Amino acid sequence: MEDLLKTCLYDRHEALKAQMSPFGGFIMPIQYSNIVEEHQAVRQKAGMFDVSHMGEIFVSGTDAEAFINHIFTNDIRIMPAGKIQYGMMLYPDGGVVDDLLVYKLAEPDHYLLVVNAANIAKDEEWIRSQSSGYEVCIDNQSDRWGEVALQGPDAERIAVEVLGLENARDLAFYTFTETSWNGAPILLSRTGYTGEDGFEFYAAPEVIVALWDKLMENGVTPCGLGCRDTLRFEVGLPLYGHELSAEISPIEAGLSMFVKTDKEEFIGHDSILRQKTEGTARKLVGIELTEKAIPRAGYPVECDGEVIGEVTTGYQSISTGKYVCMALINRAYAETGRPVSVRVRKKTFAGVICKKRFYDKNYKK
Amino acid sequence: MKTVEGLYYSESHEWVKVDGEVAIIGITDFAQKAMGDIVYVDMPEVDDEVTAEEEFGAVESVKAASDLISPVSGTVTEINEALEDESGLLNQDPYDNWIIKVQMSEPEELDRLMDADAYAAFCAQQ
């Protein structure tokens, strides 16, 4: 455990007696009270997450736009300052280096890339290795930033009333503003990973600790990575390493709307174009079991006694009570309504292919 | 963490209460705390054979499935049907709520298990 990194909020988690576990190279809180209560707090009121483990890589320079568009699947050329895009960095074969957010900062030619904790070092190396010939500065500031996510239907009211961030009210989804809180610079972003309305705050570690304390004092429920996963899963959001990876392309994962093949060029373009036109062998689907059993990541999906794929994430959905999973399966079996089964230990349980969104998103703006 | 005197304990965090040739088997307080909210218990059926140190079912929490490892060999004589509808009983009182009863075929297997003190020391190192 001594090699694990601690976030700026580690002492707070210890004081709250959170159950801690390694995640992406960090020692992170999995739960404070229990996953169900924390999950429901986010769906019904508001909860807050320490997401300081996420990586912040800044890219700037006269070629920054062209360079990011070269390594990123979405198209940032149409993006005004203050806007955020979701997308991926791909290998030439269409496998995913990472999925990330790109923020276009107010200062011209400056961008912030927010990447997965487990991939920070890999991503930085990848980005640098692709940058020759581009006039860009790549600055990995991950250890200088803390981040807290405030999520849930009450998030806007709390941001305005408790934190005094008036401009939170007018911020549209997937936009941000570089503002200040308690006299310190803070990046206020209307984003999240729960399917609920909410904000993510990026700032220096001591500012993030003060902000966390302020939210705690006002009764916001601290939430661990346990419910972060059950929340994102229910609304069909992918997690790198499960629904996306070097071996799983965004087309297979059903994320083609974030891959702009009409751009003339980006790394992975030709492979993706081929996948889009010829179709992929596999497809990510939802499965709802009609019997009581919990399909977990790695369990085989079967049809007529043959293995046709495997579960990528599965739970008894906390919001609906249903036994559901996302699974990557042979495309021939992927149509909605088709009966399949999932092997859970020694037995198989009947299920049916369904949409991979098990609960509707509740974004406000 | 709570232990109960007079029970036998396994390294995979099951407990055994001996009643003649019958082993009453459950999971420990350490186990239920580590797992969190238990939502489902996958139990064998009456008359199934179980083997010491082999899986006989699973306890599922919200976040993961944990195999149940039998501390003894024998035949299942009873399962705790109350857990089918209310698996959370294992969180509320893991020693009062057993999972299965086994007619032991090799009672000497009990000698490989720990007593309450040894188990408490074992957990302290986890």
Side-chain angles (χ1 to χ4, degrees):
Chain A
M1 287 238 179
E2 60 266 28
D3 291 341
L4 293 169
L5 300 167
K6 293 173 180 173
T7 73
C8 55
L9 290 163
Y10 177 81
D11 292 345
R12 298 298 189 271
H13 307 321
E14 284 283 286
L16 288 165
K17 297 190 165 39
Q19 191 182 105
M20 306 291 286
S21 190
F23 182 86
F26 288 76
I27 178 82
M28 295 298 292
I30 300 304
Q31 62 186 58
Y32 300 86
S33 58
N34 70 67
I35 292 175
V36 175
E37 280 174 25
E38 293 168 21
H39 178 108
Q40 300 292 17
V42 173
R43 287 272 180 260
Q44 290 159 14
K45 291 184 285 194
M48 60 177 178
F49 300 82
D50 175 14
V51 281
S52 302
H53 59 314
M54 300 295 284
E56 291 83 11
I57 299 174
F58 289 79
V59 177
S60 59
T62 49
D63 290 338
E65 182 186 273
F67 173 61
I68 293 168
N69 239 18
H70 169 60
I71 60 171
F72 189 56
T73 58
N74 217 325
D75 191 350
I76 70 163
R77 287 172 303 183
I78 54 167
M79 203 167 48
K83 187 98 181 75
I84 305 160
Q85 274 186 358
Y86 172 75
M88 301 90 203
M89 296 190 290
L90 302 181
Y91 294 109
D93 69 358
V96 180
V97 180
D98 202 0
D99 62 335
L100 65 153
L101 296 178
V102 173
Y103 288 71
K104 184 168 183 175
L105 301 168
E107 191 176 352
D109 301 324
H110 280 65
Y111 296 85
L112 163 62
L113 279 49
V114 179
V115 305
N116 283 301
N119 295 336
I120 295 171
K122 177 186 80 175
D123 288 356
E124 183 185 359
E125 197 182 324
W126 173 257
I127 293 166
R128 288 192 189 284
S129 73
Q130 302 305 316
S131 67
S132 65
Y134 291 92
E135 198 62 51
V136 287
C137 172
I138 297 154
D139 184 11
N140 177 6
Q141 296 190 11
S142 298
D143 55 3
R144 279 179 272 161
W145 288 78
E147 185 189 352
V148 164
L150 173 66
Q151 302 279 295
D154 291 350
E156 181 184 291
R157 184 187 58 76
I158 293 166
V160 173
E161 290 176 14
V162 173
L163 300 175
L165 291 163
E166 282 294 333
N167 37 15
R169 215 189 309 265
D170 303 320
L171 213 50
F173 197 58
Y174 265 66
T175 68
F176 70 101
T177 177
E178 295 161 79
T179 180
S180 68
W181 182 73
N182 271 2
I186 189 168
L187 193 154
L188 169 64
S189 168
R190 195 156 206 157
T191 44
Y193 192 50
T194 60
E196 296 299 324
D197 186 28
F199 301 89
E200 293 177 300
F201 310 97
Y202 302 79
E206 63 275 12
V207 179
I208 286 298
V209 173
L211 187 140
W212 174 275
D213 288 346
K214 182 82 178 168
L215 293 172
M216 277 299 291
E217 283 163 23
N218 285 274
V220 178
T221 305
C223 296
L225 295 187
C227 79
R228 188 168 157 85
D229 201 54
T230 58
L231 288 159
R232 70 88 192 166
F233 162 75
E234 282 185 348
V235 292
L237 293 169
L239 172 63
Y240 188 86
H242 289 252
E243 285 77 33
L244 288 171
S245 73
E247 282 78 43
I248 308 172
S249 84
I251 305 307
E252 292 175 304
L255 298 168
S256 56
M257 66 179 290
F258 303 105
V259 185
K260 305 293 189 211
T261 39
D262 54 341
K263 282 202 302 191
E264 59 270 29
E265 173 295 317
F266 61 88
I267 300 169
H269 177 277
D270 294 353
S271 301
I272 292 294
L273 193 59
R274 195 163 52 241
Q275 290 185 15
K276 271 189 170 178
T277 47
E278 294 172 12
T280 55
R282 303 177 301 178
K283 188 185 178 193
L284 189 71
V285 296
I287 299 173
E288 180 180 340
L289 295 189
T290 47
E291 301 176 277
K292 187 174 175 179
I294 303 175
R296 306 284 186 183
Y299 289 0
V301 180
E302 302 178 354
C303 191
D304 303 327
E306 248 180 89
V307 175
I308 58 164
E310 71 172 41
V311 174
T312 57
T313 305
Y315 286 105
Q316 180 183 13
S317 162
I318 294 173
S319 299
T320 68
K322 291 177 176 171
Y323 300 91
V324 285
C325 65
M326 292 193 263
L328 190 62
I329 66 163
N330 183 328
R331 178 173 290 272
Y333 298 86
E335 83 269 22
T336 299
R338 187 176 189 115
V340 294
S341 60
V342 176
R343 180 165 291 277
V344 178
R345 292 176 292 276
K346 289 168 189 162
K347 294 175 230 163
T348 59
F349 293 87
V352 62
I353 303 286
C354 63
K355 282 194 306 181
K356 60 183 193 297
R357 184 179 295 178
F358 309 106
Y359 184 83
D360 285 334
K361 288 174 184 161
N362 186 29
Y363 298 146
K364 270 215 189 106
K365 303 265 171 172
Chain B
M1 182 206 66
K2 191 179 153 195
T3 56
V4 173
E5 289 295 325
L7 303 186
Y8 295 87
Y9 296 87
S10 70
E11 292 191 357
S12 47
H13 306 286
E14 290 84 13
W15 57 260
V16 180
K17 184 178 178 184
V18 177
D19 179 11
E21 288 181 344
V22 173
I24 304 167
I25 298 169
I27 60 164
T28 67
D29 190 42
F30 182 93
Q32 71 82 14
K33 278 209 177 85
M35 279 182 247
D37 295 326
I38 294 168
V39 293
Y40 182 61
V41 187
D42 186 357
M43 292 181 280
E45 289 172 15
V46 169
D47 293 335
D48 279 1
E49 299 287 325
V50 296
T51 307
E53 294 173 15
E54 287 186 14
E55 177 242 310
F56 72 86
V59 176
E60 303 240 18
S61 69
V62 174
K63 61 187 178 219
S66 307
D67 284 344
L68 288 162
I69 308 296
S70 188
V72 294
S73 305
T75 308
V76 177
T77 59
E78 212 179 326
I79 63 168
N80 187 354
E81 286 171 3
L83 297 177
E84 286 175 354
D85 295 322
E86 232 187 316
S87 51
L89 290 170
L90 292 178
N91 291 116
Q92 287 168 29
D93 191 340
Y95 296 108
D96 208 28
N97 293 286
W98 53 278
I99 297 172
I100 57 169
K101 294 185 181 181
V102 173
Q103 177 73 38
M104 288 185 281
S105 56
E106 294 166 61
E108 64 277 11
E109 286 169 344
L110 291 168
D111 298 341
R112 295 190 297 211
L113 301 172
M114 292 174 273
D115 65 13
D117 287 347
Y119 178 65
F122 172 77
C123 288
Q125 291 167 5
Q126 298 294 297

